[in-house]
């Protein structure tokens, strides 16, 4: 039988005490009263649990207090702290009662001895005697340690509580501000600073451009959260046959909103009272009736990974709200996404393909996109490109056909929204050089933005961020592997290597795996789960190596990526900016290295011109260690080539045999020639022995250190001397590139081979000239026997 008891519940908020008896929703907890039969529990009559733990920030009086505190800077920190703690306390209570309930369920069917144990667990306050302390089981000790760890974590969080006064001039909802404080975002970034005002107060359409890693996600995420919170609180009326103006006429200005607005310096500019309504009973009814099960915001991104990230980022900011955010992307279970959509999430983040697919299947929640109130297109310049995302055009046709289109807020963001391309050398018919305004105007027309849209363009002509150290290495296609491996060896750190094709990634993956660099691939032909898993592994590994196509070029916010390598030159200037933008985020330092083959000089020249860059500095390479690097790469190529040829044949035969089996066909003499010749068993044995020998050689080579101990692994010394050397190298490379660019015969493959061979000879000679230490001489002799095996240069495969 259950019993209940109301106890005095109090929480301290700043210097105020809030009596919780009058707040929150409490419910009885069913307990077995026999457990409490002991006289120790005399007077115990029952347990109650707080049903909703949101009494903290969402309570009106606390909100009022919060806003009062915002007016007094010195109280600012206290208010954040107090509200934080009231939430933390609520959560802790919730978890505790959940645990208790679970414990009581577990204890009831168990024998009495166990129950007694539970009783002593419940009497937490009684000091443990020496005897009980000695009797503690391993599980109890573990639990205690866990508890202590939790407490320490909370104390650390308490210490990290931010001064959030830098946000006070912006109309950020308290719940969101609280989450931002927890995330450690003590001030808005420039793009947030400029977008949040017009987006929240005026609900303007926004075209936002800012450099990579500058916080654009929250610049559109916060206005969405604010809008939905206001809708839920009945401060904005969704158009259900009644205009917002009508409702506003019979309502007084909302005290809370007035207060926030008055603190704004741009009050006059932003004031748009049409959108701010008082909590009249009629409005509350309208909210309850029509608004609760609506889809309010749709956020579209070009890639699935970016959609996952945007969803998580906005969900973190919405942590203290009850706004539901769903992810709808391809490559993941359709059924699961349909189940999630049944829960009526207010915000849907996804890729156009899957959203359109579900729309066409008449998924009821997504059918509401016609009446969405917020539409965000992230990486808008890429999304609206012709030939890309036909589904986006379909979605835009639907949302733009809505009779309430004018009430929709549309937000477009990218780091390359207004990039103006320089004209081609030979003028193409009808080609016109556009101004920034014309580029933006075209984009706005395509999406259907209002003419009154606010344009916040913080992008600079040079495109990349100032903390990024850009460099290039001019080399032949065949040398790229060597330079890449050299770089990875000399500069360990989280590195992202971009290639233009999946084939190139597969080849590099194989070679770098043989060289024990542990690369993770990421491209569109992989299973979505594997893609996300690899991204996660890369994020967790401080020396991680990710080989990716441009699927990872835009938007991905992977913390502390130190190097970005363009193994193949990006096809467009935009891609160069986005790829490079995966490093040097949030004002951190980062390095990008562009590998340029003679064929790629044209592209390089184009984006130097577009980005107003005279030249990109050449990355300094220490050629003394190149022979050893070369030796390893060649051996890896040989192993790869041998394995690949054999495995390809084997795979083909297996597939053929399986297909024949399924069709009940016997592979007779007639069909036999269709199978690949794997050689006799003797040949196969020989092949395996050869492969094993090569692998053993590789193992031996990998054990040896290439760089002597104490050799600097930093490309930027504290004095910046290496940076200086890169700048000095700039002029040299400039002439070298222009000379090679003029050499018309350079691209003939025979010539290329000769250049490659002569370069190798040169490197070997160079190396032997420079090896002077006895240790190094000795180690060279060690590899003498390997010379024969690695003599043959494997033909590099096409990229
Ligand atoms: N106000 C803030 N203070 C500190 N960090 C912030 C703030 N806002 C966002 N961030 C962090 O900055 C990082 C970059 O943010 P975000 O991914 O939104 O950048 P972006 O401008 O969209 O970049 P990209 O153009 O590459 O997509 C994220 O890790 C985010 O958590």
């Amino acid at each position: 039988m259950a019993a209940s008891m109301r106890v005095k519940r109090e929480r301290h908020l700043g210097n105020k005490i809030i009596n919780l008896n009058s707040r929150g929703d409490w419910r009885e907890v069913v307990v077995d009263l026999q457990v409490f039969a002991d006289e120790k529990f005399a007077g115990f009559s029952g347990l109650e649990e707080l049903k909703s733990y949101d009494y903290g920030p969402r309570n009106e009086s606390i909100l009022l207090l919060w806003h009062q505190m915002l007016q007094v800077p010195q109280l600012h920190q206290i208010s954040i702290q107090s509200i934080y703690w009231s939430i933390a306390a609520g959560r802790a209570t919730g978890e505790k009662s959940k645990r208790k309930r679970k414990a009581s369920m577990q204890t009831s069917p168990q024998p009495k001895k166990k129950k007694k144990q539970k009783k002593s667990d419940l009497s937490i306050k009684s000091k443990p005697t020496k005897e009980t302390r000695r009797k503690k089981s391993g599980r109890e000790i573990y639990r205690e340690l866990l508890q202590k760890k939790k407490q320490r974590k909370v104390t650390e969080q308490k210490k990290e509580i931010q001064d959030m006064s830098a946000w006070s001039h912006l109309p950020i909802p308290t719940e969101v501000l609280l989450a931002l404080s927890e995330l450690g975002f003590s001030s808005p970034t420039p793009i947030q600073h400029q977008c949040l005002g017009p987006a929240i107060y005026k609900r303007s359409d926004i075209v936002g451009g800012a450099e990579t890693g500058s916080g654009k996600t929250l610049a559109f995420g916060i206005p969405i959260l604010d809008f939905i919170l206001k809708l839920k609180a009945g401060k904005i009326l969704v158009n259900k046959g009644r205009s917002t103006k009508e409702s506003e006429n019979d309502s007084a200005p909302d005290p809370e909103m007035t207060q926030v607005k008055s603190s704004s310096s741009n009050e006059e500019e932003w004031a748009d009272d049409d959108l701010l309504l008082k909590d009249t009973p009629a409005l509350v009814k309208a909210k309850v009736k029509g608004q609760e099960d609506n889809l309010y915001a749709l956020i579209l991104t070009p890639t699935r990974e970016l959609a996952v990230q945007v969803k998580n980022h906005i969900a973190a900011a919405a942590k203290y709200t009850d706004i539901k955010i769903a992810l709808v992307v391809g490559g993941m279970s359709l059924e699961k996404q349909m189940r999630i959509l049944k829960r009526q999430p207010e915000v849907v983040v996804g890729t156009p393909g899957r959203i359109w697919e579900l729309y066409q299947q008449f998924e009821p929640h997504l059918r509401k996109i016609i009446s969405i109130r917020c539409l965000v297109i992230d990486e808008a310049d890429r999304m609206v490109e012709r030939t890309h995302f036909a589904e986006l055009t379909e979605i835009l046709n639907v949302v733009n056909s809505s009779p309430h289109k004018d009430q929709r807020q549309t937000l477009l963001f990218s780091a390359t929204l207004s990039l103006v391309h320089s004209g081609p050398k030979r003028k193409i018919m009808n080609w016109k050089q556009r101004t920034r305004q014309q580029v933006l105007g075209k984009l706005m027309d395509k999406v259907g933005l209002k003419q009154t849209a606010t344009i916040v363009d913080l992008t600079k002509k040079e495109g990349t961020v100032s903390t990024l150290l850009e460099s290039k290495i001019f080399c032949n296609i065949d040398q790229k592997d060597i330079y890449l491996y050299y770089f990875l060896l000399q500069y360990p750190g989280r590195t992202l290597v971009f290639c233009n094709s999946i084939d190139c990634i597969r080849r590099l993956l194989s070679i770098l795996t043989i060289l024990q660099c542990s690369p993770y691939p990421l491209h569109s032909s992989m299973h979505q789960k594997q893609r996300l898993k690899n991204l996660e592994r890369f994020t967790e590994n401080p020396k991680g190596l990710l080989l990716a196509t441009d699927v990872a070029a835009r938007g991905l916010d992977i913390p502390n990526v130190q190097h970005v390598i363009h193994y193949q030159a990006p096809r467009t200037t935009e891609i160069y900016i986005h790829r490079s933008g995966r490093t040097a985020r949030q004002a951190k330092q980062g390095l990008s290295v562009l590998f340029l083959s003679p064929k790629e000089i044209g592209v390089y020249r184009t984006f130097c011109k577009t980005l107003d860059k005279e030249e990109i500095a050449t990355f300094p390479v220490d050629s003394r260690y190149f022979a050893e690097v070369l030796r390893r790469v060649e051996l890896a190529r040989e192993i790869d080539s041998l394995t690949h040829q054999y495995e390809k044949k084997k795979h083909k035969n297996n597939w053929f045999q399986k297909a024949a089996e399924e069709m009940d066909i016997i592979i007779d003499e007639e069909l036999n020639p269709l199978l690949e010749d794997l050689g006799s068993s003797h040949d196969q044995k020989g092949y395996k022995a050869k492969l094993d020998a090569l692998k053993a050689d590789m193992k031996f080579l990998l054990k040896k250190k290439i760089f002597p101990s104490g050799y600097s692994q930093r490309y930027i010394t504290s004095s910046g001397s290496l940076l200086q050397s890169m700048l000095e190298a700039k002029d040299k490379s400039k002439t070298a590139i222009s000379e090679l660019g003029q050499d018309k015969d350079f691209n003939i493959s025979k010539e290329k081979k000769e250049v490659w061979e002569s370069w190798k000879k040169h490197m070997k000679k160079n190396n032997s000239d420079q090896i002077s230490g006895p240790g190094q001489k000795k180690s060279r002799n060690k590899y003498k026997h390997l010379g024969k095996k690695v003599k043959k240069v494997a033909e590099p495969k096409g990229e």
Side-chain angles (χ1 to χ4, degrees):
M1 203 191 131
S4 72
M5 178 184 71
R6 286 227 153 199
V7 290
K8 198 183 171 205
R9 307 176 190 96
E10 289 179 340
R11 288 278 178 270
H12 291 260
L13 184 70
N15 50 4
K16 283 195 173 195
I17 292 172
I18 299 169
N19 180 5
L20 295 174
N21 276 336
S22 59
R23 300 170 202 288
D25 197 355
W26 295 83
R27 68 165 162 225
E28 291 170 357
V29 177
V30 181
V31 290
D32 185 351
L33 281 181
Q34 281 201 350
V35 177
F36 304 98
D38 196 298
E39 41 178 79
K40 261 191 211 171
F41 295 100
F44 175 83
S45 57
L47 285 173
E48 261 193 333
E49 184 197 14
L50 185 59
K51 252 166 90 178
S52 92
Y53 308 114
D54 53 358
Y55 58 85
R58 261 171 260 162
N59 183 283
E60 288 297 319
S61 63
I62 300 179
L63 280 182
L64 212 63
L65 177 74
W66 160 251
H67 285 295
Q68 279 161 10
M69 283 173 167
L70 270 182
Q71 307 289 310
V72 192
Q74 62 268 33
L75 278 179
H76 193 86
Q77 232 161 324
I78 303 172
S79 58
I80 279 274
Q81 199 162 332
S82 320
I83 295 177
Y84 178 86
W85 277 105
S86 68
I87 287 176
R91 291 188 155 222
T93 321
E95 276 166 22
K96 213 167 156 183
S97 50
K98 255 188 220 164
R99 272 205 305 274
K100 274 186 191 171
R101 225 171 335 147
K102 209 173 161 191
S104 73
M105 277 161 68
Q106 278 171 354
T107 43
S108 43
Q110 280 167 5
K112 258 192 172 177
K113 217 178 175 184
K114 285 259 172 183
K115 279 180 194 169
K116 268 185 187 170
Q117 179 63 46
K118 195 68 220 163
K119 270 193 270 176
S120 58
D121 276 353
L122 283 166
S123 54
I124 299 158
K125 278 177 188 170
S126 64
K127 241 185 170 181
T129 60
K130 265 187 189 174
E131 208 184 338
T132 54
R133 226 179 290 150
R134 241 183 288 124
K135 278 181 189 169
K136 262 182 199 167
S137 67
R139 186 175 257 197
E140 278 173 317
I141 294 167
Y142 175 72
R143 232 183 274 157
E144 263 181 28
L145 283 173
L146 218 69
Q147 189 72 22
K148 273 182 194 165
K149 203 176 159 190
K150 259 187 199 169
Q151 275 169 2
R152 234 180 293 139
K153 213 173 164 186
V154 172
T155 323
E156 273 163 23
Q157 276 176 347
K158 194 181 164 189
K159 271 185 215 158
E160 281 167 18
I161 284 162
Q162 305 284 326
D163 172 9
M164 300 294 281
S165 51
W167 293 90
S168 60
H169 65 291
L170 291 169
I172 316 288
T174 316
E175 295 93 323
V176 176
L177 203 56
L178 210 55
L180 295 181
S181 148
E182 212 173 88
L183 289 169
F185 299 169
S186 57
S187 58
T189 61
I191 186 78
Q192 291 164 3
H193 180 85
Q194 297 216 23
C195 289
L196 292 178
I200 293 178
Y201 280 129
K202 215 176 169 187
R203 287 210 77 227
S204 285
D205 284 357
I206 305 271
V207 180
E211 59 188 25
T212 49
S214 58
K216 292 187 284 293
T217 312
L218 285 184
F220 60 74
I222 295 175
I224 291 176
L225 296 180
D226 172 83
F227 179 72
I228 297 172
L229 285 171
K230 277 183 192 151
L231 272 181
K232 289 190 160 200
K235 292 195 170 68
I236 300 173
L237 180 65
V238 163
N239 198 328
K240 292 268 172 192
R242 195 183 170 203
S243 82
T244 46
K245 201 130 199 168
E246 270 175 66
S247 314
E248 194 254 343
N249 287 340
D250 55 12
S251 63
D254 180 84
E256 186 190 320
M257 293 314 301
T258 315
Q259 194 177 4
V260 179
K261 275 173 73 186
S262 63
S263 65
S264 157
S265 54
N266 292 338
E267 182 189 352
E268 301 245 312
E269 192 192 329
W270 288 338
D272 190 355
D273 285 3
D274 283 6
L275 301 161
L276 309 174
L277 298 172
K278 198 192 156 199
D279 239 343
T280 59
L283 205 56
V284 173
K285 253 187 212 166
K287 180 188 77 176
V288 173
K289 263 189 182 175
Q291 296 178 11
E292 288 226 315
D293 56 353
N294 250 331
L295 170 61
Y296 298 129
L298 182 64
I299 303 173
L300 299 169
T301 69
T303 63
R304 298 162 185 177
E305 286 78 9
L306 183 56
V308 173
Q309 180 188 297
V310 168
K311 187 242 163 189
N312 290 343
H313 200 11
I314 299 180
K319 185 179 173 185
Y320 293 114
T321 70
D322 55 3
I323 297 171
K324 296 186 282 300
I325 307 167
L327 179 74
V328 178
V329 292
M332 290 187 184
S333 159
L334 196 75
E335 289 72 32
K336 196 176 169 192
Q337 286 174 9
M338 284 166 106
R339 265 202 314 276
I340 290 171
L341 287 171
K342 273 201 184 108
R343 287 182 220 148
Q344 316 266 3
E346 292 91 346
V347 184
V348 167
V349 185
T351 44
R354 177 57 65 87
I355 289 177
W356 185 242
E357 186 187 345
L358 283 171
Y359 181 88
Q360 283 184 310
Q361 288 180 19
F362 292 91
E363 198 292 318
H365 194 57
L366 280 185
R367 291 305 286 193
K368 294 176 200 158
I369 57 171
I370 191 157
S371 57
I372 44 157
R373 306 298 308 264
C374 287
L375 172 68
V376 178
I377 305 186
D378 198 11
E379 308 296 347
D381 55 328
R382 163 99 171 99
M383 295 282 275
V384 300
E385 264 173 30
R386 229 181 324 149
T387 71
H388 281 122
F389 301 114
E391 297 90 350
L392 177 75
T393 318
E394 303 283 5
I395 294 170
L396 287 177
N397 288 341
V398 172
V399 294
N400 286 337
S401 66
S402 162
H404 308 307
K405 183 191 156 197
D406 290 344
Q407 288 183 23
R408 188 188 80 218
Q409 182 180 35
T410 311
L411 309 161
L412 307 183
F413 280 83
S414 177
T416 47
L417 269 184
S418 58
L419 193 79
V420 176
H421 290 270
S422 306
K425 274 181 196 162
R426 269 170 273 113
K427 279 195 178 168
I428 299 169
M429 250 204 320
N430 295 334
W431 195 92
K432 269 187 210 163
Q433 171 113 22
R434 290 199 177 89
T435 61
R436 278 185 170 224
Q437 279 73 21
Q438 283 169 332
V439 172
L440 288 177
K442 203 169 169 226
L443 186 74
M444 285 163 67
D445 280 351
K446 270 188 190 172
V447 180
L449 255 74
K450 294 179 205 119
Q451 287 304 311
T452 51
T454 306
I455 297 174
V456 181
D457 188 5
L458 307 182
T459 50
K460 288 181 232 129
K461 181 75 183 154
E462 55 266 35
T464 46
V465 294
S466 56
T467 49
L468 176 76
L469 187 60
E470 290 170 89
S471 64
K472 66 168 186 305
I473 291 178
F474 179 72
C475 55
N476 203 301
I477 291 181
D478 303 338
Q479 298 164 356
K480 285 188 176 184
D481 293 349
I482 301 156
Y483 276 104
L484 177 63
Y485 183 54
Y486 166 86
F487 184 91
L488 295 174
L489 278 183
Q490 198 182 352
Y491 307 110
R494 196 167 288 149
T495 305
L496 214 168
V497 179
F498 282 106
C499 301
N500 291 348
S501 69
I502 297 172
D503 274 354
C504 180
I505 289 192
R506 286 189 179 136
R507 192 183 65 80
L508 275 183
L509 181 73
S510 170
I511 288 175
L512 293 173
T513 306
I514 294 167
L515 289 164
Q516 295 184 1
C517 295
S518 316
Y520 309 117
L522 181 71
H523 54 76
S524 56
S525 290
M526 288 166 64
H527 284 296
Q528 189 52 39
K529 265 191 182 167
Q530 193 58 49
R531 276 163 70 165
L532 292 171
K533 208 172 182 178
N534 283 1
L535 206 56
E536 202 182 307
R537 283 180 184 158
F538 176 62
T539 310
E540 282 164 4
N541 185 353
K543 289 184 183 173
L545 171 64
L546 189 72
L547 308 175
T549 54
D550 287 329
V551 80
R554 283 187 180 249
L556 290 191
D557 183 52
I558 305 156
N560 304 321
V561 172
Q562 292 171 31
H563 317 121
V564 164
I565 294 178
H566 307 264
Y567 183 85
Q568 291 172 315
R571 290 184 184 114
T572 65
T573 312
E574 281 91 344
I575 300 177
Y576 175 73
I577 295 171
H578 288 284
R579 279 181 179 184
S580 305
R582 296 318 99 208
T583 181
R585 296 172 77 75
Q586 297 169 271
K588 282 183 192 150
Q589 292 266 323
L591 172 85
S592 90
V593 190
L594 178 61
F595 286 5
L596 284 174
S597 70
K599 267 193 179 175
E600 291 166 324
I601 292 172
V603 190
Y604 166 68
R605 285 260 169 267
T606 308
F607 58 70
C608 275
K609 201 171 172 191
T610 307
L611 301 177
D612 240 0
K613 289 182 202 291
E614 203 187 298
E615 197 71 58
I616 293 176
T618 297
F619 191 81
V621 178
D622 194 339
S623 55
R624 279 176 297 167
Y625 307 103
F626 248 56
E628 206 49 55
V629 173
L630 182 68
R631 195 189 288 261
R632 288 188 188 184
V633 173
E634 280 179 350
L635 189 54
R637 278 173 173 172
E638 199 177 349
I639 295 172
D640 170 59
S641 156
L642 209 61
T643 320
H644 187 75
Q645 281 168 17
Y646 182 76
E647 290 300 323
K648 204 175 155 190
K649 282 182 189 173
K650 214 171 135 187
H651 182 78
K652 200 175 162 190
N653 286 358
N654 285 347
W655 177 87
F656 193 78
Q657 276 160 353
K658 206 175 162 197
E661 250 172 52
E662 274 168 17
M663 289 188 278
D664 268 346
I665 295 173
I666 297 164
I667 301 175
D668 52 12
E669 277 177 14
E670 211 177 310
L671 289 175
N672 221 16
L674 293 176
L675 291 173
E676 291 284 344
D677 183 15
L678 294 175
S680 64
S681 60
H682 183 263
D683 290 346
Q684 285 185 32
K685 267 185 192 168
Y687 155 79
K688 273 187 187 145
K690 193 179 174 189
L691 197 62
D692 286 346
L694 290 177
K695 282 182 181 171
D697 291 346
M698 178 57 88
K699 208 173 163 186
F700 184 70
L701 279 181
L702 289 175
K703 271 185 189 161
K704 200 199 160 222
K705 262 187 181 179
I706 287 190
F707 302 103
S709 48
Y711 184 76
S712 168
Q713 303 213 318
R714 298 180 65 193
Y715 46 85
I716 310 163
T717 60
S718 51
S719 61
S721 57
L722 202 53
L723 179 62
Q724 189 57 37
S725 85
M726 285 172 73
L727 294 173
E728 278 165 11
K730 194 169 98 174
D731 291 335
K732 273 189 210 164
S733 75
K734 202 174 169 182
T735 36
I737 288 175
S738 55
E739 274 168 18
L740 273 168
Q742 281 158 15
D743 185 356
K744 283 176 197 157
D745 297 333
F746 189 80
N747 292 331
I748 299 169
S749 63
K750 197 182 143 208
E751 295 281 321
K752 267 201 307 190
K753 257 187 187 166
E754 274 174 22
V755 172
W756 168 229
E757 290 301 330
S758 66
W759 179 81
K760 271 194 317 183
K761 270 184 209 157
H762 165 75
M763 292 312 293
K764 275 181 185 166
K765 189 173 169 283
N766 207 15
N767 188 58
S768 54
D769 289 344
Q770 288 178 23
I771 292 172
S772 51
Q776 276 162 318
K777 218 167 198 172
K778 204 175 158 192
S779 61
R780 254 183 356 122
N781 291 339
K782 248 190 200 175
Y783 296 120
K784 217 172 174 182
H785 72 286
L786 288 176
K788 284 173 208 156
K789 278 167 191 163
V790 292
K791 215 167 79 185
K792 189 190 148 218
V793 183
E795 273 297 315
K797 285 178 213 163
E799 291 165 5

